[in-house]
Amino acid sequence: MHVLITGGAGFIGSQLAEYHLDRGDKVHVVDDLSTGSKENIEEFAEKPGFHFDEADILTWPGLEKAAAWADRVYHMAAVVGVYRVLAEPIKVLSTNIAGTERLLRAIHAGGWSPQVILASTSEVYGHTEARELREDAPLVIQSGARSRWNYAVSKLADEALGLSYARKHGLQITIVRFCNTIGPRQTGRYGMVLPRFVAQALRGEPLTVYGDGNQTRSFCDVRDTVAALDALASNPASGGEIVNVGNNREISILDLAKLIIRTAESTSKIKKIPYLEAYGEDFEDITHRRPALDKLFGLTDFSHNWTLEETVQDLLDRSRNRVAKVV
Ligand code: UDP
């Protein structure tokens, strides 16, 4: 199979590349290395069938050719991460919307219908009251919303574009709402909590819990995520659907910090930091997030292989090995 991965040097994208290379597929990655990194894909450079272009999805001259070549497209290229979203509120909208539009136009022009996975996010659910996030729930974004919501707005536009191309041109496009994906190669640089806590615990520094720590999230290992994406893309019935991809075990951020300290046998303490200090004025956090997964399980025979404890242990082992190699 020919697989095109936009944003393929990011943490989910590079896991997708590894997954398909292991299966003997040909993989073409394009990434502008804005949040992705060369390090994430350097181990694939020697593998037969791997190709990398460093380019911006908005201007990449090879897009039409690559889109026509692909049997499967994962569109992961986007401006992501809370810190980047707050720092670059305009770029989030322009890159995420125009990039998806350009890609879908290229796929349609290619004249046939590859299996397409479009990355969206659980951020689109916003401040819903529901304890479980269902794909068909109405979405509420406040008028005059703060900059954090620009990410959700950009991804909602992407969803609408994807669904419209699917309906109008009969393309097999599946919208995937990622819900707090974690795992190897994820960086804490743009705000993601797991790699930040792991690094802090290993350095014996305080774990920085924002707010009171009672906010909850449901974390899904990226190796489970890519298996779910492959299963979805392989089923034509997923075309034109919006599907949550995540894990439904919910944990508070305070308990997550405790779990990491315990597993790392770290001397770190927990330090609570007010949101204002953590993110500045322009911020509202989500209190709870747990995805409904009936739709994913209905469309695929996917099941999870990784528990949160196993992922945390694996990340600690990997970080320690990396440090040991350098020393
Ligand atoms: N968070 C935290 N300490 C950090 C980074 C994040 O307590 O050093 C919190 C953050 O406020 C949020 C949760 O962890 O409540 C998940 O944050 P992340 O940015 O990983 O994901 P998202 O907010 O997009 O769900």
Side-chain angles (χ1 to χ4, degrees):
M1 178 162 44
H2 292 179
V3 182
L4 170 64
I5 309 172
T6 75
F11 119 90
I12 304 179
S14 56
Q15 194 68 43
L16 281 164
E18 183 174 346
Y19 178 93
H20 281 285
L21 287 168
D22 284 349
R23 276 157 186 73
D25 296 328
K26 293 200 182 322
V27 173
H28 191 156
V29 160
V30 58
D31 200 303
D32 68 354
L33 302 181
S34 54
T35 47
S37 80
K38 256 205 172 119
E39 236 176 47
N40 284 346
I41 51 171
E42 68 191 359
E43 62 191 280
F44 313 142
E46 301 305 314
K47 296 206 178 186
F50 180 72
H51 187 78
F52 171 58
D53 274 319
E54 181 178 342
D56 183 335
I57 188 79
L58 293 179
T59 51
W60 183 35
L63 179 65
E64 282 74 15
K65 201 169 155 206
W69 165 88
D71 305 300
R72 171 145 340 148
V73 181
Y74 296 99
H75 180 43
M76 314 299 294
V79 177
V80 294
V82 175
Y83 296 167
R84 269 201 90 201
V85 169
L86 294 177
E88 302 187 73
I90 298 172
K91 197 173 158 67
V92 170
L93 289 162
S94 54
T95 300
N96 293 3
I97 299 173
T100 300
E101 213 296 292
R102 184 169 180 234
L103 173 73
L104 292 174
R105 209 165 351 110
I107 290 172
H108 176 49
W112 74 304
S113 184
Q115 302 159 342
V116 182
I117 295 284
L118 275 194
S120 184
T121 168
S122 53
E123 283 276 307
V124 301
Y125 290 110
H127 284 296
T128 168
E129 293 295 309
R131 266 322 269 256
E132 196 182 50
L133 308 173
R134 308 195 65 83
E135 291 90 341
D136 55 2
L139 309 171
V140 184
I141 291 185
Q142 251 173 332
S143 83
R146 292 166 184 267
S147 299
R148 178 193 175 129
W149 301 109
N150 286 15
Y151 181 56
V153 168
S154 75
K155 285 294 175 178
L156 264 182
D158 287 353
E159 290 192 2
L161 276 167
L163 294 177
S164 303
Y165 269 86
R167 287 188 197 119
K168 192 156 170 60
H169 300 303
L171 299 183
Q172 191 190 317
I173 299 171
T174 307
I175 314 289
V176 168
R177 289 183 179 158
F178 290 116
C179 309
N180 293 92
T181 313
I182 53 170
R185 304 193 192 101
Q186 187 176 35
T187 164
R189 208 173 306 139
Y190 309 106
M192 279 72 170
V193 66
L194 232 292
R196 289 173 55 78
F197 282 2
V198 165
Q200 289 164 342
L202 287 175
R203 289 197 294 257
E205 293 169 4
L207 271 63
T208 53
V209 168
Y210 298 162
D212 62 10
N214 289 326
Q215 70 272 32
T216 63
R217 294 292 187 274
S218 309
F219 295 96
C220 182
D221 190 286
V222 69
R223 289 155 286 194
D224 283 337
T225 302
V226 301
L229 296 191
D230 181 34
L232 280 171
S234 304
N235 181 3
S238 309
E241 295 292 335
I242 298 174
V243 188
N244 289 333
V245 170
N247 194 305
N248 50 14
R249 161 154 170 224
E250 206 172 341
I251 185 170
S252 76
I253 297 303
L254 194 57
D255 284 343
L256 176 71
K258 289 179 188 163
L259 168 69
I260 291 173
I261 290 175
R262 201 167 56 237
T263 314
E265 296 175 357
S266 165
T267 53
S268 289
K269 301 274 177 284
I270 288 172
K271 184 176 175 198
K272 291 190 181 165
I273 298 182
Y275 283 120
L276 186 64
E277 207 179 299
Y279 298 110
E281 202 79 59
D282 206 9
F283 189 78
E284 303 163 76
D285 201 11
I286 307 273
T287 34
H288 301 294
R289 183 179 285 155
R290 171 160 51 91
L293 299 178
D294 335 9
K295 201 163 172 187
L296 172 63
F297 293 142
L299 283 165
T300 66
D301 56 7
F302 163 79
S303 61
H304 295 90
N305 266 324
W306 289 82
T307 64
L308 179 59
E309 284 76 5
E310 287 166 343
T311 307
V312 166
Q313 185 65 59
D314 180 54
L315 294 179
L316 288 166
D317 292 344
R318 283 167 186 266
S319 297
R320 286 191 175 119
N321 283 341
R322 240 192 337 267
V323 174
K325 262 191 214 154
V326 176
V327 174

